[in-house]
Each structure stands twice: as structure tokens, then as C-alpha cells.
Amino acid sequence: MTTVESSAARPGRIARAATIYGFLTLAALVTLFPLIWTALGSFKPGVEVLLPTLFPRNPTLSNYTSLLGGEDFYRYFVNSVAIAVFSVAGNVLLCSMVGYALAKLAFPGKRLVLGAVLITIMVPGVVMFVPLFITVNGLGLTNSYGGMIVPFLVGAGGVFLFRQFLLDIPDELLEAARIDGAGEFRIFFRVVLPLCGPALATIGLLTFMSTWNNLLWPLVVAQSKELYTLPVALAFLSQGDGTINYGVMFAGSVLTIAPIVLVFLFLQRYFISGIATTGIK
């Protein structure tokens, strides 16, 4: 009887599974379609970019050669890499240190600091834009790499993520290190950080993505062309004679997206583990 019921239910399970996977495949295609259109459009010459066709009729690399032909593009790329690397390093180090203090240390005002972190997460970034620019301008950091890096060396979201992750580390492990005579800095660098791989990868990837794609802040702070990042430069390079060169814009978008995709593919296992461990939705 059980075998008969199982055989009768099997087609239903297969149908449900096929429906679910079909829906997920369709959702993935809809999500990826703009990226596919951009990638294929970067190989279309001239006005063919504006035609409602997915695949290029006469594939060409002219958009890439036009974009890479100037020395300025490499300067913009180096600027983006430098700003992203320093921002990631700062967030990984400083967010982990503050998160460790909030999770494992006792000090006066700890609840107030945690409350300030949570409030900062709730405040939209655009609200802080003008006060942040006034502060940076007052410190004389406009039109400099420091002005684009220093304000984002530590983020409230990263602090909260590290705190949540470090709460799961047993206090007994830290007490054992203290009994052996280790100080807090030694405990942090020798005991805590090696256990924070998923959290470090998650913060590193999120910081890299937000910094690499940032357009508005570098556009305002970088007042000279030599300090432009890729998103800012792409907004100007895609225009010529008052018209938008969509082919060059698509090629630049592909070259801008590629590093993010590569970094994510390299860190995706740790990223997913970090998100699942901290319970961030």
C-alpha cells in the first residue's frame, strides 16, 4: 500500500519541483537580462546599439579599444582600486576591533555606543551627505584621496555584523588566553581574528562593492579629473559632442562590473557563511 501511494505521489513531487526550478530559472533570467544586454551591447557598433536586437549583427571590439585607448582610463581604474583597497582594509580592521569591544569587553557607556551604532544604521546615507561634506571640507580633505577614503574607513553596519558574529565565540576561549598572560590586542589578533573568516569576507565584499560603485561622493569630493574613479569617469567618457555613446558606456560598464563579479566568485562561500552566521537578512 505504501509503495503504491509513494509511486502515485512521485509525479506530483516531480511536477512541483519542476515548477519551482522553472520559476527560479525565469527569475534568474529576468534578473540577469540587463547584464546580458549590456555585455552583448558592448560589442555592437554605432547605432546598432539602439536596435531592439539582443545579439550583435556585426560584432566589434571598437568600443573597448576606444575606451582603453586613452591613458586616463587606466588612471581612473587605479584610483578606484586604491580607494577600494584602503576602504576595505580600514573597515575590516576597525569594524572588527569595535565589534570585538562591543561583544566581549565591558566598559562604561557600552550600551550608549551600541545604541549609537544602531541609530546610525537606521539613518539614510543621503541625510548625512551634506554634514559629511562640510566636515571633510573643513578638514581640508576635498579634492584628495583622503577625502574619498577617510569618511568610509568604518561603517556602522560592519560594526554590528562583527558584534553579532563575535557573540558566538565562547568567552571561555578568551579567558583561557587571558590566564596565559595574553593582552587584549594579542587575543584579538591571535585568537579572535583567525576565527572571523566569514565575517571578514562579508564586510570586505560589501565594502568593496559599495566603494567601487560609489558615484555621488567621488563626483563631489574629487574636483580634479586626475582623481576621478571609474563610475565618475564613465559618466563623462560615455558622452561625446552632446550625445551619449552607448557602445562605450556599455563597454565601460562591463569593465566596471567585472572586478566585482570576480571578487564575489572568489569570496562567495565565505560571504554566504557570514550572512547565515550573523542572521542578517
Side-chain angles (χ1 to χ4, degrees), residues 160-207:
F160 182 73
L161 186 146
F162 267 107
R163 176 187 178 273
Q164 296 302 107
F165 185 88
L166 292 171
L167 287 175
D168 291 332
I169 294 180
D171 293 334
E172 293 77 10
L173 188 64
L174 307 183
E175 290 298 332
R178 293 189 182 104
I179 292 174
D180 289 339
E184 294 301 330
F185 280 100
R186 186 176 181 184
I187 292 173
F188 175 75
F189 286 106
R190 294 293 184 89
V191 179
V192 175
L193 272 189
L195 300 176
C196 294
L200 293 172
T202 302
I203 290 300
L205 180 59
L206 293 177
T207 303

Side-chain angles (χ1 to χ4, degrees), residues 238-264:
S238 61
Q239 300 181 8
D241 300 327
T243 61
I244 299 177
N245 190 332
Y246 288 102
V248 173
M249 184 174 65
F250 286 169
S253 299
V254 171
L255 294 178
T256 304
I257 294 171
I260 298 178
V261 175
L262 294 176
V263 172
F264 177 78

Side-chain angles (χ1 to χ4, degrees), residues 33-279:
F33 182 76
L35 297 178
I36 296 173
W37 183 279
T38 300
L40 294 176
S42 66
F43 296 101
K44 294 180 179 179
V47 295
E48 187 181 334
V49 178
L50 302 178
L51 298 178
T53 56
L54 181 61
F55 295 96
R57 297 174 181 175
N58 302 297
T60 179
L61 294 175
S62 60
N63 295 321
Y64 288 96
T65 56
S66 175
L67 185 65
L68 298 175
E71 296 180 359
D72 288 341
F73 179 83
Y74 298 98
R75 177 189 293 272
Y76 305 144
F77 182 82
V78 171
N79 289 342
S80 290
V81 170
I83 294 171
V85 168
F86 280 103
S87 298
V88 169
N91 275 267
V92 166
L93 178 61
L94 299 179
C95 288
S96 60
M97 295 180 73
V98 179
Y100 171 71
L102 292 176
K104 297 300 182 181
L105 301 182
F107 57 90
K110 178 178 177 178
R111 290 181 177 272
L112 292 178
V113 174
L114 179 58
V117 170
L118 295 176
I119 292 174
T120 304
I121 295 176
M122 301 176 195
V123 177
V126 67
V127 175
M128 302 299 297
F129 190 89
V130 174
L132 188 60
F133 177 77
I134 293 175
T135 303
V136 169
N137 186 54
L139 294 173
L141 294 177
T142 52
N143 198 35
S144 67
Y145 290 109
M148 290 186 283
I149 296 173
V150 173
F152 305 103
L153 282 179
V154 59
V159 171
F160 182 73
L161 186 146
F162 267 107
R163 176 187 178 273
Q164 296 302 107
F165 185 88
L166 292 171
L167 287 175
D168 291 332
I169 294 180
D171 293 334
E172 293 77 10
L173 188 64
L174 307 183
E175 290 298 332
R178 293 189 182 104
I179 292 174
D180 289 339
E184 294 301 330
F185 280 100
R186 186 176 181 184
I187 292 173
F188 175 75
F189 286 106
R190 294 293 184 89
V191 179
V192 175
L193 272 189
L195 300 176
C196 294
L200 293 172
T202 302
I203 290 300
L205 180 59
L206 293 177
T207 303
F208 179 82
M209 290 175 58
S210 62
T211 305
W212 187 268
N213 292 325
N214 197 352
L215 170 64
L216 187 57
W217 183 258
L219 179 63
V220 173
V221 175
Q223 300 171 359
S224 62
K225 188 177 179 182
E226 291 75 16
L227 294 176
Y228 283 172
T229 58
L230 276 179
V232 177
L234 183 59
F236 290 100
L237 288 175
S238 61
Q239 300 181 8
D241 300 327
T243 61
I244 299 177
N245 190 332
Y246 288 102
V248 173
M249 184 174 65
F250 286 169
S253 299
V254 171
L255 294 178
T256 304
I257 294 171
I260 298 178
V261 175
L262 294 176
V263 172
F264 177 78
L265 291 176
F266 180 73
L267 298 176
Q268 63 174 329
R269 180 165 62 91
Y270 302 100
F271 175 77
I272 295 172
S273 176
I275 293 295
T277 302
T278 54

Side-chain angles (χ1 to χ4, degrees), residues 15-40:
R16 285 194 297 271
T19 302
I20 293 173
Y21 282 111
F23 175 79
L24 293 176
T25 302
L26 179 62
L29 290 175
V30 171
T31 303
L32 294 175
F33 182 76
L35 297 178
I36 296 173
W37 183 279
T38 300
L40 294 176

